[in-house]
Amino acid sequence: MQAKKRYFTLLSAGTCLALLFYLGGLQWRAARSPRRGQPPGSRHGPGAERPWPRFPDALRPFAERPGPDGGGGGGGRVSPRQRRDASAGLYRGRRCRMESCFDFALCQRNGFKVYVYPQQKGEKIAESYQNVLAAIEGSRFYTSDPGQACLFVLSLDTLDRDQLSPQYVHNLRSKVQSLHLWNNGRNHLIFNLYSGTWPDYTEDVGFDIGQAMLAKASISTENFRPNFDVSIPLFSKDHPRTGGEKGFLRFNTIPPLRKYMLVFKGKRYLTGIGSDTRNALYHVHNGEDVVLLTTCKHGKDWQKHKDSRCDRDNTEYEKYDYREMLHNATFCLVPRGRRLGSFRFLEALQAACVPVMLSNGWELPFSEVIDWNQAAVIGDERLLLQIPSTIRSIHQDKILALRQQTQFLWEAYFSSVEKIVLTTLEIIQDRIFKHISRNSLIWNKHPGGLFVLPQYSSYLGDFPYYYANLGLKPLSTFTAVIHAVTPLVSQSQPVLKLLVAVAKSQYCAQIIVLWNCDKPLPAKHRWPATSVPVIVIEGESKVMSSRFLPYDNIVTDAVLSLDEDTVLSTTEVDFAFTVWQSFPERIVGYPARSHFWDNTKERWGYTSKWTNDYSMVLTGAAIYHKYYHYLYTHYLPASLKNMVDQLANCEDILMNFLVSAVTKLPPIKVTQKKQYKETMMGQTSRASRWADPDHFAQRQSCMNTFASWFGYMPLIHSQMRLDPVLFKDQVSILRKKYRDIERL
């Protein structure tokens, strides 16, 4: 029995060997025989590349790729290697980094200045790219002199490089090469939203970018050059140039759950790139708290490719309003489209709907500085079915934190084209000046990287926003800055009484008198003797904005800003400073004003009426952090400061605009004595601004000019007033710390 098994095994093995020799011989003869159209003597030499054998295509796609008209016959599937080869023209400089493809010397001479090429005659620029260029030209980085520039931006429209788009600029290759400052793209920045076209939507922008940096939407991690390129969000042509709408999170509701847990509404690509994930969304949709809707109705010939689910999907799609879903959902699915990026991303951020990213390989916007794990859920397209269980497992505290972070990021970096452009430029500036670059805490915590200027200080404790994070408190003393514009002719003038009262404060470290009067400085003996140093600085330009210059003499964190005709007691000064120590990022003071919208004139109005509502605290008697002097001087455009100086008015309004724009909070009004209104309005000096009949009209005009530059109205109304403990209570005056305030 065993012998029969051995014979059978040998026979089987012999048969297999014979079959192998036979088939091998056929292949060998086929290889030696000349191909049709090939000379009989041609052979692959020993060093020649041998062709791969042709195997049957076992992984042939189920459907042909559609053509531009929606039909089939689009060719075979493109391999990753072919895709890389197709974009080789774009990434000939794929090894570029700041150290190898950027000339730092241009930035060391004049700082970080950006030059925009003048627009060429006959060249059309789309509105979106006009907004990009306007944001640069309106920024503090702009220079019209290419000799001072550190970075160059093309005036040729590079945003839309889809050849099927009406915005596509032809012959861009030759136009760019003809620019005399091009220098193979060195120190150039190219903005791009759309690249490639059907069927593969590669990331090729259609011309050789050389050593230029890309600020690009929908860029893949494969093609992204770290610390060289900048990933920007995909934004629509309707995205506002400046300002932008605020986020939609109005209340920090606990628990932070909405009607829907997870939503999506968009196109369902039946074939081609981007179709895999969207075609599978129906597996997760339950029609209750997970509502994922797709429609086949897009493209000219969608009916030719409709499948059995299309009619049902289209019917379900029409039942829901997209905006209603967006504003009533906790999580919003953000799957890739034809390209990696999607408009859904910014829409979800604004709506305080936590984005659930399903776009494998997408380099998220500003990923170099933004920690997206604090504001989004990064999913995997291959694990779509796990998404519902994953987001249901997130704790409510974490959900609230995610939603709050979406609002911060939206308002700080994404709500307008200007913020997107400025964030891009600030990131590049941080790369150039690494020794003062912002850290992750600055970028990911209020107020964000655009308002924290590293040139001011590299230490977080020097800014008013991070005391709690560092476990610090501001210095317990202040510097008083008195703005003097009238000559000193009498020892009974209000400025001298004010100086004596402020000097008696237990928190006063020094007093600076800014002499902006046309008359010469008074002799030293004319100033009263005080227990604290009095420094008199003569203003060089004698302009209003000089009161907010970042003087080196200011050594304390707090600045008590005073007009020369202000009447304050020592007790009032002490109490205001005590309040400010609890709110170091805000303006704290006495004289309050408000703004309103005038429907008849369709413009902002300014009012000095004494009501329970206010939105400004005038800097004639206010305390704030000295960083705002630096921000006022270096952040605000010269046009606004020149307006203030020409009018000799509105500098206090502009400072309130700036601080409210940074903090997103109103100022704080402290206890006001009744006599202050009559004192201020009763000044009879012709030099006093209060005596100017045009004073009020000018301030109305300033309000609207400032709001126009900011792109929105940053001032916020408040009805909060802080009084001392036991203020006006019917108890013994001896039990009250600030008892003198009640007597005034």
Side-chain angles (χ1 to χ4, degrees):
M1 189 68 181
Q2 294 296 330
K4 288 184 178 181
K5 289 184 179 180
R6 286 197 295 270
Y7 291 144
F8 179 75
T9 302
L10 289 173
L11 181 61
S12 301
T15 304
C16 290
L17 286 173
L19 183 60
L20 286 174
F21 277 117
Y22 174 74
L23 294 175
L26 291 177
Q27 291 285 344
W28 183 78
R29 286 194 297 272
R32 289 181 59 86
S33 62
R35 297 180 185 175
R36 182 176 299 178
Q38 182 182 15
S42 70
R43 293 285 188 272
H44 292 284
E49 182 181 357
R50 299 184 65 85
W52 284 94
R54 295 172 177 260
F55 297 107
D57 187 3
L59 300 177
R60 181 169 43 184
F62 292 102
E64 295 295 332
R65 193 181 301 272
D69 58 351
R77 188 179 296 272
V78 179
S79 69
R81 181 174 181 178
Q82 289 174 313
R83 198 176 301 119
R84 287 194 298 269
D85 292 342
S87 60
L90 171 61
Y91 291 102
R92 289 174 183 168
R94 73 164 53 247
R95 295 186 181 274
C96 269
R97 298 296 184 268
M98 295 294 290
E99 295 76 15
S100 58
C101 296
F102 192 89
D103 186 359
F104 288 87
L106 296 180
C107 309
Q108 301 300 332
R109 292 196 298 264
N110 302 298
F112 186 68
K113 295 294 182 181
V114 184
Y115 173 76
V116 177
Y117 283 84
Q119 185 175 352
Q120 299 181 11
K121 187 176 181 180
E123 288 291 340
K124 295 182 179 180
I125 302 179
E127 183 180 358
S128 293
Y129 198 57
Q130 289 178 2
N131 291 340
V132 170
L133 299 183
I136 298 174
E137 293 171 349
S139 73
R140 68 183 186 279
F141 303 120
Y142 175 70
T143 178
S144 58
D145 181 5
Q148 295 184 354
C150 163
L151 190 67
F152 299 82
V153 176
L154 304 178
S155 63
L156 297 166
D157 191 345
T158 57
L159 279 190
D160 195 341
R161 301 303 298 153
D162 186 337
Q163 296 180 16
L164 301 179
S165 170
Q167 308 296 337
Y168 181 80
V169 177
H170 296 274
N171 304 318
L172 194 56
R173 184 191 306 268
S174 59
K175 293 176 182 178
V176 169
Q177 295 297 330
S178 65
L179 299 174
H180 68 285
L181 298 173
W182 175 243
N183 191 25
N184 194 33
R186 200 170 183 85
N187 286 53
H188 280 67
L189 176 64
I190 295 172
F191 286 89
N192 176 254
L193 294 181
Y194 307 97
S195 62
T197 188
W198 175 91
D200 302 312
Y201 296 92
T202 64
E203 298 177 30
D204 185 3
V205 295
F207 66 97
D208 183 9
I209 66 171
Q211 297 179 347
M213 291 180 285
L214 276 175
K216 180 172 173 53
S218 305
I219 191 170
S220 65
T221 54
E222 180 183 18
N223 290 321
F224 180 76
R225 296 170 293 181
N227 296 314
F228 193 71
D229 294 330
V230 180
S231 177
I232 63 175
L234 182 65
F235 58 87
S236 69
K237 63 180 180 179
D238 299 322
H239 206 56
R241 185 177 70 83
T242 60
E245 295 183 12
K246 294 183 178 181
F248 295 131
L249 181 61
R250 297 290 182 261
F251 306 102
N252 291 321
T253 309
I254 300 294
L257 301 177
R258 294 175 171 179
K259 178 180 179 181
Y260 304 108
M261 176 61 70
L262 178 67
V263 300
F264 172 77
K265 186 177 183 182
K267 299 176 182 177
R268 176 161 76 87
Y269 304 118
L270 296 172
T271 56
I273 191 168
S275 62
D276 295 343
T277 300
R278 297 198 180 197
N279 275 335
L281 293 182
Y282 77 97
H283 291 293
V284 183
H285 169 80
N286 64 18
E288 296 177 359
D289 63 340
V290 177
V291 180
L292 307 179
L293 307 171
T294 58
T295 179
C296 304
K297 290 183 179 181
H298 58 89
K300 297 179 181 179
D301 301 322
W302 68 271
Q303 290 184 336
K304 294 181 180 179
H305 308 282
K306 62 182 294 188
D307 56 23
S308 58
R309 289 203 337 268
C310 275
D311 291 335
R312 184 172 65 254
D313 287 352
N314 293 341
T315 302
E316 190 82 359
Y317 184 89
E318 299 296 335
K319 292 180 180 179
Y320 292 83
D321 178 74
Y322 175 64
R323 292 294 171 185
E324 189 271 337
M325 291 173 58
L326 193 65
H327 296 163
N328 290 280
T330 305
F331 295 91
C332 285
L333 199 66
V334 185
R336 65 163 296 158
R338 292 300 193 191
R339 297 176 178 87
L340 292 172
S342 168
F343 293 135
R344 299 291 186 276
F345 181 69
L346 290 187
E347 292 170 350
L349 281 183
Q350 182 183 12
C353 187
V354 181
V356 179
M357 311 305 302
L358 280 184
S359 185
N360 292 6
W362 181 23
E363 188 72 25
L364 294 180
F366 305 138
S367 56
E368 183 175 337
V369 297
I370 294 179
D371 181 5
W372 283 109
N373 290 318
Q374 296 183 23
V377 176
I378 313 300
D380 190 318
E381 294 180 71
R382 298 165 296 183
L383 303 176
L384 171 65
L385 299 182
Q386 297 182 14
I387 294 295
S389 59
T390 299
I391 61 176
R392 292 184 195 280
S393 67
I394 300 176
H395 195 271
Q396 293 180 359
D397 292 346
K398 177 65 174 176
I399 293 175
L400 179 60
L402 289 169
R403 294 184 62 196
Q404 290 173 334
Q405 191 69 359
T406 64
Q407 301 302 275
F408 160 66
L409 294 177
W410 164 257
E411 296 187 8
Y413 307 120
F414 299 107
S415 63
S416 68
V417 175
E418 180 185 54
K419 290 179 181 178
I420 294 172
V421 172
L422 291 180
T423 304
T424 302
L425 297 181
E426 293 282 9
I427 289 173
I428 296 174
Q429 182 183 218
D430 275 5
R431 297 172 183 168
I432 298 170
F433 304 102
K434 290 184 178 180
H435 60 290
I436 56 171
S437 61
R438 306 164 182 82
N439 60 25
S440 179
L441 177 63
I442 292 176
W443 283 106
N444 292 280
K445 183 174 176 57
H446 184 80
L450 298 187
F451 286 121
V452 178
L453 306 186
Q455 294 80 7
Y456 174 74
S457 176
S458 58
Y459 175 53
L460 291 181
D462 289 336
F463 298 92
Y465 318 110
Y466 308 109
Y467 290 129
N469 297 89
L470 301 175
L472 301 175
K473 293 182 179 180
L475 296 177
S476 58
T477 55
F478 65 81
T479 297
V481 178
I482 302 176
H483 187 227
V485 294
T486 56
L488 196 61
V489 296
S490 170
Q491 291 300 113
S492 62
Q493 284 184 229
V495 65
L496 299 182
K497 296 179 180 179
L498 176 65
L499 194 149
V500 172
V502 172
K504 292 180 180 179
S505 171
Q506 59 180 314
Y507 304 112
C508 183
Q510 61 180 356
I511 299 175
I512 296 176
V513 178
L514 179 60
W515 190 256
N516 268 350
C517 180
D518 295 332
K519 301 295 183 180
L521 280 172
K524 290 185 178 180
H525 70 273
R526 300 289 302 276
W527 300 103
T530 60
S531 58
V532 298
V534 177
I535 304 170
V536 181
I537 300 177
E538 186 170 11
E540 296 180 2
S541 54
K542 309 289 186 181
V543 294
M544 295 301 297
S545 293
S546 63
R547 72 184 299 176
F548 296 138
L549 288 174
Y551 295 104
D552 294 334
N553 306 82
I554 302 176
V555 295
T556 59
D557 293 331
V559 174
L560 172 60
S561 177
L562 298 166
D563 286 341
E564 63 177 1
D565 49 5
T566 299
V567 179
L568 284 179
S569 68
T570 303
T571 305
E572 289 174 301
V573 171
D574 287 347
F575 176 65
F577 179 71
T578 302
V579 172
W580 177 85
Q581 287 181 301
S582 299
F583 306 94
E585 76 282 9
R586 297 159 80 170
I587 297 178
V588 176
Y590 288 97
R593 299 291 184 267
S594 187
H595 74 286
F596 63 94
W597 177 255
D598 190 334
N599 286 319
T600 58
K601 298 181 179 179
E602 294 188 346
R603 57 179 298 182
W604 292 106
Y606 171 88
T607 178
S608 58
K609 293 181 179 179
W610 280 41
T611 65
N612 291 330
D613 186 279
Y614 67 93
S615 58
M616 291 172 279
V617 168
L618 304 186
T619 55
I623 302 178
Y624 50 80
H625 197 281
K626 70 175 181 178
Y627 173 61
Y628 292 122
H629 277 204
Y630 187 89
L631 208 58
Y632 184 99
T633 302
H634 295 284
Y635 178 82
L636 294 175
S639 60
L640 297 188
K641 291 180 287 187
N642 290 338
M643 177 183 180
V644 165
D645 296 338
Q646 291 172 4
L647 297 175
N649 195 354
C650 303
E651 82 290 349
D652 47 359
I653 297 178
L654 184 54
M655 178 60 85
N656 273 270
F657 266 71
L658 176 62
V659 176
S660 291
V662 174
T663 62
K664 306 295 187 295
L665 295 169
I668 294 178
K669 174 181 169 58
V670 290
T671 303
Q672 181 64 59
K673 61 182 181 182
K674 295 180 180 179
Q675 292 87 345
Y676 189 85
K677 178 182 178 183
E678 288 75 17
T679 302
M680 294 296 293
M681 301 305 294
Q683 300 292 334
T684 58
S685 171
R686 295 302 300 171
S688 174
R689 291 179 294 161
W690 301 96
D692 187 351
D694 295 329
H695 179 80
F696 188 80
Q698 290 173 350
R699 294 171 83 80
Q700 294 271 14
S701 178
C702 288
M703 293 279 295
N704 290 276
T705 302
F706 299 162
S708 175
W709 184 83
F710 279 92
Y712 70 108
M713 172 52 73
L715 298 179
I716 301 172
H717 287 279
S718 175
Q719 294 182 344
M720 181 178 73
R721 189 187 78 187
L722 296 185
D723 298 330
V725 175
L726 301 179
F727 181 72
K728 297 293 186 181
D729 285 357
Q730 299 299 319
V731 298
S732 171
I733 197 72
L734 299 177
R735 297 177 59 186
K736 302 181 180 182
K737 181 177 181 180
Y738 301 100
R739 60 181 70 101
D740 291 341
I741 292 181
E742 296 191 28
R743 297 170 179 169
L744 298 173

